[in-house]
Amino acid sequence: MHFPSPLIRGTLIRRYKRFLADVTLETGETLTAHCANPGAMTGLNMPGLPVWLSKSEDPKRKLAYSLELVELPTGIVGINTAHPNRIVGEALRARAIPELAAYDCVRPEVRYAEKSRVDFLLTGDGLPDCYLEIKNVHLVRAAGLAEFPDSVTTRGARHLADLARMIGEGHRAVMLYLVQRGDCTQFTLAADIDRAYASAFGDARAAGVEALCYATDITSEAITLGDPLPIRE
């Protein structure tokens, strides 16, 4: 996934009201950017961190700038939760995810279960339909260990139950955690942050839902799928 135009570097002043961030650009200008991330952003919202912004040319947008990347001493972190589906979608169509490469039809945002949309429905001749959910990951509290979630996610637990239901109907179901940072060597659940989600994950796995985790390669020009990461359950 390439950014459509060059990103603009600045320094984070504060992130507040979940979806807003004040940033000082290298020109000295201070502005408010949209922060497309409903989570806690633990470790990624400290004043003074170098950040990268995109700028929209859409005149209808209230905020022209969006917070995209945060720089840490260990590397660049993607914080825009709208991007993982695009990154994984490109990888699926390029058949770059070995566990899912046999599927030749990739459909995004398909209604399923009672009141959900699955991120991707994968189909192929002679294969069971595969319901694929994507979760963005950027929480790190111990060096090299990516964790999800970084805040309570009732919606996330519901998605796990929906996937388990698809297994019961004879389909395949996969939860893919995409780590938007390159400084991690393994992944686990942050059960102390959301015990209900961890419980739902255990139930889904017991029902036959598969779990995958992939890192990403990030620059100020693009974010692409990286190497698989082991899941510590």
Side-chain angles (χ1 to χ4, degrees):
M1 184 209 79
H2 284 79
F3 294 106
S5 59
L7 298 185
I8 302 162
R9 201 164 186 267
T11 301
L12 183 65
I13 299 173
R14 61 170 181 155
R15 184 253 186 157
Y16 58 104
K17 294 183 179 179
R18 296 176 69 193
F19 299 111
L20 299 176
D22 290 342
V23 175
T24 299
L25 304 184
E26 292 184 326
T27 61
E29 177 188 359
T30 297
L31 53 82
T32 299
H34 176 60
C35 179
N37 191 314
M41 285 181 58
T42 302
L44 303 172
N45 57 7
M46 294 91 73
L49 283 176
V51 296
W52 294 84
L53 308 175
S54 62
K55 183 179 181 182
S56 172
E57 299 302 325
D58 183 354
K60 297 180 181 179
R61 277 192 50 156
K62 183 176 180 180
L63 297 174
Y65 293 87
S66 294
L67 185 61
E68 300 286 358
L69 309 174
V70 173
E71 285 189 37
L72 298 178
T74 55
I76 300 176
V77 181
I79 62 88
N80 190 328
T81 59
H83 291 332
N85 282 25
R86 291 180 58 193
I87 297 163
V88 173
E90 288 182 1
L92 289 170
R93 294 180 180 93
R95 301 197 176 187
I97 302 176
E99 298 90 343
L100 304 170
Y103 291 93
D104 54 18
C105 181
V106 178
R107 295 169 56 201
E109 296 293 325
V110 176
R111 290 187 179 276
Y112 83 126
E114 293 181 3
K115 51 182 178 180
S116 296
R117 288 180 181 268
V118 72
D119 289 324
F120 294 100
L121 175 59
L122 312 180
T123 57
D125 290 342
L127 299 171
D129 290 353
C130 180
Y131 291 79
L132 174 64
E133 287 283 356
I134 315 298
K135 294 300 178 191
N136 175 74
V137 180
H138 52 47
L139 173 64
V140 169
R141 295 182 290 179
L145 181 62
E147 297 182 79
F148 181 88
D150 72 346
S151 59
V152 174
T153 172
T154 303
R155 182 170 177 264
R158 189 184 79 236
H159 286 163
L160 287 168
D162 289 340
L163 290 179
R165 191 173 297 115
M166 294 302 101
I167 294 290
E169 295 180 8
H171 306 298
R172 186 182 177 192
V174 179
M175 177 62 74
L176 190 154
Y177 297 95
L178 188 73
V179 182
Q180 277 206 81
R181 52 194 299 163
D183 58 354
C184 297
T185 57
Q186 57 183 325
F187 167 82
T188 193
L189 295 180
D192 61 314
I193 292 177
D194 191 344
R195 295 192 181 281
Y197 184 86
S199 177
F201 178 84
D203 292 342
R205 294 287 283 142
V209 175
E210 302 166 51
L212 302 175
C213 183
Y214 275 81
T216 50
D217 297 318
I218 305 178
T219 69
S220 59
E221 289 80 35
I223 306 177
T224 55
L225 191 76
D227 294 327
L229 297 180
I231 298 176
R232 196 172 80 187
E233 297 188 30

